[in-house]
Amino acid sequence: MAAHLEETTVKTTCPYCGVGCGVLATRKKDGSVLIAGDPDHPSNFGRLCSKGSALGETLSLDDRLLVPEVAGEPAGWDAALDLVAEKFSEAVKEHGPDSVAFYVSGQILTEDYYVANKLMKGYIGSANIDTNSRLCMASSVAGHRRAFGSDTVPGTYEDLETCDLLVLVGSNLAWCHPVLFQRVEVAKAANPEMRVVVIDPRETATCAIADLHLALKPDKDVALFNGLLAFLSENRALNTGYIERHTQGFDTALAIAGKCEINRIADETGLPPQDIALFYTMVARTEKTVTVYSQGVNQSVVGTDKVNAIINTHLATGRIGKSGMGPFSVTGQPNAMGGREVGGLANMLASHMALENADHRKLVQDFWQSPVIADRQGLKAVELFKAVKNGTIKALWVMATSPVDSLPDADEVAEALEECPFVVVSEVTRNADMVAYADVLLPAAAWGEKDGTVTNSERRISRQKSFLDLPGEVKPDWWQLTEVAKRMGFDAGFSYSKPSEILREHAALSAYQNNGSRDFDIGALKTLSDEAYEEMAPVQWPLPYDRSQAKDRFFANGGFYTPNKLAQFVAVEAQPIRQTERRYPLTLNTGRIRDQWHTMTRTGKTGRLTSHIAEPFAEIHPEDAEAYGIAAADIVEVRSLYGKVLVRAQITDRGQKGVVFVPMHWTDQLSSRGRVDAVIAPETDPVSGQPGLKFTPVAIRKVEMAWYGFAVLSEKPNDIPADYWALAPVDGGWRLEMAATREMDLKELSIHLAGNSGGQPEGLSVVGSQAHSQRFAYWKDRHLQAAFYFSPEPVEVSRQWACGLLKDQDFSSVHRVQVLAGRPAGDRPDPGALVCACFGVGRSEILASAEAGAQSVQAIGSCIKAGTNCGSCRSEIQTIVDEALQETRSTPDLAKTG
């Protein structure tokens, strides 16, 4: 990174989850960037998670796309954009507006989203613009609109702190929204009466603060919440006044829910009857109840019904729109909410207006003065790529996302892209799977270079500011879209020269003919000057032009956005337990891990974030592992009707028997076959179109390997001839896990992977008594180039210690022998597997501190800092402390026993 004349600090916003944390980015004189939490930002008050804390380590340009490319060759912007405009215009002329499509992302800024939506719906005349947000919160949008008449999040983050009962449904808040989890932890410690219930089939890190964990069967949330609705009615815990004044349809919803028969509900959900009764009683007796839900609810073929089952219980009690009360959807992406606001989904219009509403369509078209307006719903994500596959879509623009990794039946998506006549990809990195499918590749601005706004889960709009110059010929997304629009003949509607102009137009549209008739109104920003835009502090909507009408919450006193202004109870029926098949007897669940984000194009650049979990894995219940002959660290194949992955086996009872969990993050860039969405069934919720990423019938088997290997390398290997491999950066180089089903000359393999160009390195080797038990290490100018550890079984070498070898500058002959021994010398303690990414603290270090007397998470933090920053490792630290205490109690004092 280039040197900088002055040290400057910029207030910006984190590019990861939907919490929307404020970040202070200080650009140092040497060009490096120091990252800290913004203490003034109302989302995080200075806190950051492990991912946010490591942002400064992800800004390198080594992988960046810096110039446009056409057919794989560098091209100028004019040539690339002319071709994009020509191909889209030709397709529209020859096949109609529905022959083209945009697939965008919750990673782009509101200003980018606004221009994309305006171009597609108001000028091309199709609603074929959808987004990867379809994969994370579309069911929440659909549930909100069915109940409230608008996609409105009623409450705020503060409600999670002021409630007396927090119900977390399908949300591993500790790992997926760590800063929000920290706020809950602090609130719970300050309020002894506060209770937390976690409803999740898996025992996750979030369960560390749970007073009750309800590990229900997959997709049985509707049965549980329908039972709660009936319990509230039968135990006179309803707010009949609220129901009568502000709602409609209660009697029908209650009749469909049925009676509260605890034993029947227990059979349906797989929960102990006493736990169900306790949960229902807690809700009935606690006025200040908040229900937070996330992907475990949304990513389901019955996701919209789950959302409405939850909302029904809050409408029935009137617990909505007041401090410490309400349903709360916490979003996964930094600007999924901004995308919803501008209408960046195939079934929405701008400013939360309804595509199916003729008056709304006229209003938007009049405001835009556009030649057309889309008059019917476009193709949602899964059906969009089916249309690409069958040839309906002739030109496709993919922006800031990788559908070949994130959409279900991902191998079929890859085939569709191969066959599509024209594909445009806007991307920041060359190390993305989508790059291979691009006819035109456009270099986009990354975090630190972008300039615009994002909206978080509590409706708070924050600035994401640039503090780095645009490298090479990189351009922001809104500029790319604007230039293509002009080349398609739409100059009048796209005369933007800066993002502030786009925000002002977006704000003006939100206020246009509104007068309180629509929830989304940021009219106060329509006159924002460029200077005020630059210094804009976080603001929460609604923010009408008359700021005296602004409010924090919605619906405490009704005021819904349905035609009759009444909230709608939606009668939802619990569906039968979903069945697996004889060929595929297990269920696959997917999700995030603590330190990674989406497809790792950013988080995968720093060893701090890859060290906690460095390879794709499958959590398998011990009984299933025994039945299938699988041991810990085996390589297993997880396969479905659609595809398969090869992953490392992790045997644990955190999940349920019959359910396998595989994380979503690995792509072809960092693994041989870790793209789990290739296994996922392309089934969707019939209302929202959101895919059911949490339930696919699968089979598993152990893959018999001839050998296993682990290596640390100073250079990234280009070709890895192994059936299984997983690559991750470390400080000073790379770490590599590998295994193969076939015999190989392992020494030749080690030389090949070491990439020893520029001279012959010095080498040492050890060959064990067993076949394939071999170790090799190579030095050059006394620096370690690579070390390899091969074994007929999974390799037992301390990974953290071995990765640290690459940082050592000078190896003596004694030290070189220790490298081959695969363990540290006595004066170099093994830190153990990484637990705390923020401070680089390993398991062995925590265990040693616990055995030395630090017998609480707080004490560990005081001794070695672990767990004192983002807090997402605290549950893991507690487990280690508990193990140490158990060991202490079970070991007799030899002196006392004689």
Side-chain angles (χ1 to χ4, degrees), residues 26-264:
T26 300
R27 190 172 180 184
K28 311 291 281 186
K29 291 182 180 179
D30 64 0
S32 63
V33 177
L34 180 67
I35 297 294
D38 182 356
D40 299 325
H41 198 289
S43 295
N44 60 314
F45 300 105
R47 301 179 180 94
L48 286 178
C49 73
S50 59
K51 295 183 289 291
S53 298
L55 276 167
E57 301 162 29
T58 67
L59 301 174
S60 64
L61 299 179
D62 56 305
D63 64 319
R64 289 293 299 278
L65 289 167
L66 298 176
V67 296
E69 294 182 11
V70 175
E73 297 295 329
W77 272 107
D78 284 338
L81 296 174
D82 286 348
L83 182 60
V84 174
E86 175 189 329
K87 291 293 187 179
F88 271 76
S89 296
E90 284 179 358
V92 171
K93 182 178 179 180
E94 295 177 17
H95 305 284
D98 288 336
S99 68
V100 300
F102 294 164
Y103 188 65
V104 296
S105 165
Q107 300 289 295
I108 64 176
L109 305 183
T110 298
E111 290 80 355
D112 306 320
Y113 248 132
Y114 181 86
V115 178
N117 187 59
K118 180 180 179 181
L119 173 57
M120 182 56 74
K121 289 181 181 149
Y123 285 80
I124 292 174
S126 171
N128 280 349
I129 174 171
D130 214 48
T131 164
N132 64 4
S133 299
R134 177 73 59 190
L135 313 182
C136 70
M137 36 48 63
S139 290
S140 287
V141 174
H144 288 160
R145 294 181 74 188
R146 290 205 300 189
F148 307 146
S150 59
D151 177 23
T152 311
V153 176
T156 70
Y157 291 160
E158 187 181 78
D159 296 329
L160 279 66
E161 300 168 308
T162 59
C163 66
D164 294 319
L165 176 62
L166 179 63
V167 183
L168 298 169
V169 191
S171 168
N172 186 7
L173 207 68
W175 277 20
C176 301
H177 303 90
V179 170
L180 202 51
F181 180 75
Q182 288 180 59
R183 291 180 62 169
V184 171
E185 277 190 309
V186 172
K188 194 171 190 292
N191 177 12
E193 300 302 313
M194 184 179 180
R195 296 291 178 264
V196 175
V197 176
V198 172
I199 302 174
D200 195 311
R202 296 172 65 223
E203 182 184 350
T204 67
T206 303
C207 293
I209 63 165
D211 298 285
L212 177 64
H213 174 211
L214 299 178
L216 80 175
K217 294 176 183 176
D219 279 346
K220 297 312 298 179
D221 310 67
V222 171
L224 182 65
F225 280 91
N226 271 356
L228 174 59
L229 184 68
F231 183 90
L232 295 170
S233 175
E234 293 169 15
N235 289 272
R236 300 183 180 181
L238 302 174
N239 185 331
T240 54
Y242 191 92
I243 292 171
E244 291 170 359
R245 289 191 301 272
H246 303 305
T247 73
Q248 187 176 51
F250 172 73
D251 290 340
T252 302
L254 183 62
I256 294 297
K259 296 180 179 180
C260 182
E261 299 166 338
I262 298 289
N263 288 332
R264 173 184 57 80

Side-chain angles (χ1 to χ4, degrees), residues 346-654:
N347 55 314
M348 297 175 70
L349 269 180
S351 295
H352 278 198
M353 284 183 265
L355 188 61
E356 66 274 14
N357 185 316
D359 292 337
H360 285 181
R361 293 198 302 272
K362 183 178 186 305
L363 188 154
V364 173
Q365 186 175 9
D366 288 349
F367 179 86
W368 280 343
Q369 292 293 290
S370 61
V372 291
I373 193 75
D375 60 3
R376 62 184 181 275
Q377 180 174 284
L379 296 169
K380 299 170 185 174
V382 173
E383 58 188 0
L384 170 60
F385 282 88
K386 288 181 178 178
V388 174
K389 184 71 166 66
N390 68 29
T392 302
I393 300 298
K394 309 297 182 183
L396 173 69
W397 192 342
V398 178
M399 190 173 293
T401 187
S402 186
V404 293
D405 300 310
S406 57
L407 277 172
D409 197 9
D411 287 344
E412 182 83 354
V413 172
E415 289 182 18
L417 287 163
E418 287 276 12
E419 297 169 15
C420 187
F422 187 67
V423 177
V424 183
V425 175
S426 293
E427 195 33 283
V428 302
T429 177
R430 183 167 298 283
N431 296 340
D433 287 352
M434 271 302 298
V435 168
Y437 302 93
D439 295 294
V440 175
L441 197 55
L442 302 178
W447 184 82
E449 303 154 8
K450 290 183 176 187
D451 196 41
T453 57
V454 293
T455 306
N456 73 359
S457 296
E458 64 165 352
R459 297 174 276 106
R460 193 174 301 279
I461 300 170
S462 298
R463 285 280 277 115
Q464 199 176 99
K465 294 183 184 178
S466 60
F467 54 86
L468 299 173
D469 298 330
L470 291 172
E473 297 179 31
V474 163
K475 296 290 185 182
D477 297 306
W478 68 264
W479 182 90
Q480 297 177 23
L481 287 156
T482 294
E483 289 300 310
V484 169
K486 290 175 182 177
R487 285 166 168 79
M488 293 180 73
F490 306 135
D491 305 58
F494 297 88
S495 59
Y496 312 115
S497 62
K498 60 187 77 167
S500 57
E501 296 171 351
I502 304 169
L503 182 72
R504 285 192 288 269
E505 182 179 314
H506 173 45
L509 174 55
S510 76
Y512 185 59
Q513 298 181 17
N514 192 330
N515 301 315
S517 64
R518 305 190 302 273
D519 67 331
F520 182 68
D521 187 347
I522 56 170
L525 303 180
K526 68 180 181 180
T527 57
L528 199 68
S529 67
D530 288 349
E531 294 75 20
Y533 179 80
E534 186 61 29
E535 300 302 321
M536 177 180 159
V539 294
Q540 192 172 42
W541 66 261
L543 193 69
Y545 188 73
D546 179 1
R547 290 187 181 233
S548 66
Q549 300 300 310
K551 56 187 176 182
D552 293 334
R553 298 174 178 86
F554 286 87
F555 311 140
N557 298 302
F560 294 93
Y561 295 95
T562 55
N564 62 10
K565 305 303 180 186
L566 300 176
Q568 302 298 302
F569 280 93
V570 179
V572 290
E573 190 170 1
Q575 300 301 310
I577 294 174
R578 299 185 68 190
Q579 300 296 319
T580 55
E581 307 167 26
R582 185 175 179 180
R583 287 171 57 201
Y584 304 108
L586 306 177
T587 298
L588 174 63
N589 180 15
T590 63
R592 302 185 190 279
I593 58 174
R594 189 187 77 187
D595 295 340
Q596 292 305 327
W597 175 254
H598 282 199
T599 55
M600 300 197 289
T601 51
R602 185 186 293 113
T603 51
K605 293 179 72 170
T606 170
R608 196 209 301 199
L609 298 180
T610 58
S611 294
H612 181 238
I613 299 174
E615 60 183 323
F617 64 90
E619 285 187 358
I620 303 170
H621 191 274
E623 293 183 34
D624 293 324
E626 183 178 6
Y628 290 96
I630 295 170
D634 282 346
I635 304 301
V636 297
E637 178 187 86
V638 181
R639 70 184 185 279
S640 72
L641 182 63
Y642 305 94
K644 63 183 179 181
V645 290
L646 292 180
V647 292
R648 186 78 71 174
Q650 192 176 103
I651 313 304
T652 175
D653 60 2
R654 286 192 293 267

